[in-house]
Amino acid sequence: MSAAPSFSVISGAQVRRVLQGREAEVVQLVESAYRLHAEGHSVNPPSYFLRFPERPSSRIIALPASLGGTVPVDGLKWIASFPGNVADGLPRASGVLILNDPGTGYPYACLEASVISAARTAAMAVSAADWLTRRRARPRRLGIVGTGLIARYVHTFLEATGWRFDEIALHDTASDSVVGFRDYLDRSAATGRVRAHETAADVIATSDLVLFATVASEPHLHDLRCFAHGPVVLHLSLRDLAPEILLGSTNIVDDIEHCLKANTSPHLAEQLTGGRDFLAGTLYDVMVGRVQLPAARPVVFSPFGLGVLDLAVGQLVHAEVARAGELEVVPGFFDELSRHGTEREPASCP
Ligand SMILES: NC(=O)c1ccc[n+]([C@@H]2O[C@H](COP(=O)([O-])OP(=O)(O)OC[C@H]3O[C@@H](n4cnc5c(N)ncnc54)[C@H](O)[C@@H]3O)[C@@H](O)[C@H]2O)c1
């Protein structure tokens, strides 16, 4: 008789404890997951968006995925985005990540997922910043448009992986977000002179590496001239830039099919031009040297965010919590383990 499956719950506090100080490792993990995905060792169907007619700014997204490699894992991230939470003092995003055993299909862990999601997003941004600036001067002027939780994680990951800035330019439509972010920068003893700007255009004009982490639902930047100095743009929030800006830039995505959906800026550019010629390729194409990036042009990285990245980070967290002997196994979670109702021993824990 096979061992009875067990099921654990891993809290956000446990996730944070594992990931803190492991930023460089998480960047490597996320790059490996990208490579596995691009080389065909994954299944990553389109995300499913649950939307609510009476609450149009909110959504809950399901990201099912399967990641191959030496230790394969299946699973699902189920993540809510409720931008209205912020006014009540709660983060926008909340979620869970379920890990499934590829041998039996049994789910074996449920992890708090907002921290995993923020960490994998920050790791993806840092990886892109690295690969997209390898043939140009390393940016020393960072600009951030949208100074919320994701921006904080990206900045933390940049600093933790050796990036140093002379200047950090900030803009947010909510002045308290800028105040909170400045406070975080002070507490983290970040490098660089910090300056808040009235407009996103001012931030872009004074930065070589620009991060967009807003909750804008449609483009609010239309003037390509702001980008004339050719910055590298990490367009994590996906809907800030008018298609005209993408058409004047070198465009890199994480996965083409995923990214050209849900009215992202690349999706709008596809609708405007009727094709995909404006895309230079994926980050993997850059990693393997299939795409060259002209130094004088703006480079825009628009990543949809793949479920396989969450699985990779979730698997690391599960393994480390188990290694530390701190897995909180739910006793008897799977109880109906005999097809014909014969008795068996109570579920044993691994
Ligand atoms: N691509 C990915 O894989 C990925 C993963 C995670 C999050 N995200 C995206 O990152 C974004 C930020 O998430 P968060 O959790 O930090 O949200 P958040 O609510 O904590 O912060 C967003 C900030 O953007 C500001 N903002 C809204 N519209 C703006 C505008 N037009 N100009 C400037 N600032 C504006 C808000 O005031 C807020 O301070 C979201 O859009 C989210 O969907 C993307």
Side-chain angles (χ1 to χ4, degrees):
M1 188 164 63
S2 63
S6 73
F7 187 83
S8 318
V9 175
I10 298 181
S11 70
Q14 288 177 298
V15 174
R16 274 171 59 150
R17 272 201 298 279
V18 170
L19 295 182
Q20 220 152 32
R22 282 205 163 90
E23 290 83 1
E25 188 183 341
V26 174
V27 173
Q28 288 306 314
L29 200 61
V30 158
E31 284 191 7
S32 305
Y34 266 140
R35 288 180 193 274
L36 285 168
H37 174 67
E39 289 161 10
H41 306 294
S42 73
V43 185
N44 204 127
S47 303
Y48 185 84
F49 284 65
L50 177 64
R51 296 186 190 278
F52 317 97
E54 74 288 6
R55 290 171 276 148
S57 69
S58 301
R59 61 185 189 222
I60 312 182
I61 312 178
L63 290 85
S66 172
L67 181 63
T70 45
V71 191
V73 60
D74 304 335
L76 170 80
K77 180 171 73 168
W78 177 234
I79 187 150
S81 170
F82 280 52
N85 285 356
V86 171
D88 299 327
L90 266 184
R92 174 191 63 83
S94 59
V96 291
L97 174 69
I98 300 290
L99 301 181
N100 292 74
D101 180 338
T104 62
Y106 270 71
Y108 60 88
C110 173
L111 298 86
E112 194 286 330
S114 73
V115 176
I116 288 172
S117 190
R120 69 78 149 140
T121 302
M124 159 179 103
V126 167
S127 171
D130 175 25
W131 283 99
L132 300 179
T133 59
R134 287 196 177 190
R135 291 176 184 273
R136 54 170 76 197
R138 196 79 154 170
R140 302 281 308 181
R141 301 182 305 164
L142 172 66
I144 303 180
V145 180
T147 51
L149 186 142
I150 292 295
R152 170 162 67 85
Y153 267 77
V154 173
H155 178 269
T156 300
F157 268 68
L158 284 167
E159 283 269 336
T161 51
W163 288 75
R164 296 292 175 264
F165 300 102
D166 301 326
E167 291 172 33
I168 302 180
L170 307 176
H171 169 71
D172 195 296
T173 44
S175 55
D176 59 331
S177 282
V178 174
V179 171
F181 199 85
R182 281 192 99 128
D183 185 47
Y184 147 74
L185 288 174
D186 287 345
R187 278 182 283 119
S188 67
T191 57
R193 193 163 52 85
V194 182
R195 186 156 168 216
H197 291 267
E198 286 299 313
T199 67
D202 288 341
V203 166
I204 298 158
T206 54
S207 307
D208 314 309
L209 180 65
V210 185
L211 166 67
F212 281 93
T214 75
V215 285
S217 56
E218 52 190 49
H220 54 98
L221 277 160
H222 299 267
D223 192 350
L224 181 60
R225 285 173 301 181
C226 305
F227 299 84
H229 57 300
V232 168
V233 179
L234 306 172
H235 185 211
L236 298 189
S237 34
L238 291 167
R239 295 175 184 85
D240 300 85
L241 306 179
E244 294 76 12
I245 293 175
L246 268 55
L247 299 183
S249 307
T250 304
N251 290 284
I252 305 295
V253 295
D254 53 353
D255 178 292
I256 292 174
E257 292 306 326
H258 280 253
C259 226
L260 297 182
K261 282 200 173 72
N263 290 332
T264 62
S265 299
H267 190 199
L268 299 182
E270 182 186 33
Q271 288 165 0
L272 184 70
T273 60
R276 297 179 171 187
D277 291 349
F278 68 94
L279 289 177
T282 64
L283 190 57
Y284 177 77
D285 292 329
V286 177
M287 289 174 179
V288 297
R290 271 205 299 253
V291 167
Q292 302 303 324
L293 305 165
R297 242 181 156 216
V299 178
V300 179
F301 176 57
S302 301
F304 202 77
L306 301 173
V308 288
L309 306 186
D310 298 288
L311 291 185
V313 177
Q315 197 179 42
L316 166 75
V317 171
H318 180 269
E320 287 301 318
V321 173
R323 202 170 57 84
E326 291 169 0
L327 270 185
E328 302 276 354
V329 177
V330 181
F333 188 82
F334 296 111
D335 190 52
E336 186 64 277
L337 290 168
S338 158
R339 288 181 60 232
H340 300 118
T342 47
E343 283 301 311
R344 70 174 284 164
E345 292 297 307
S348 61
C349 308

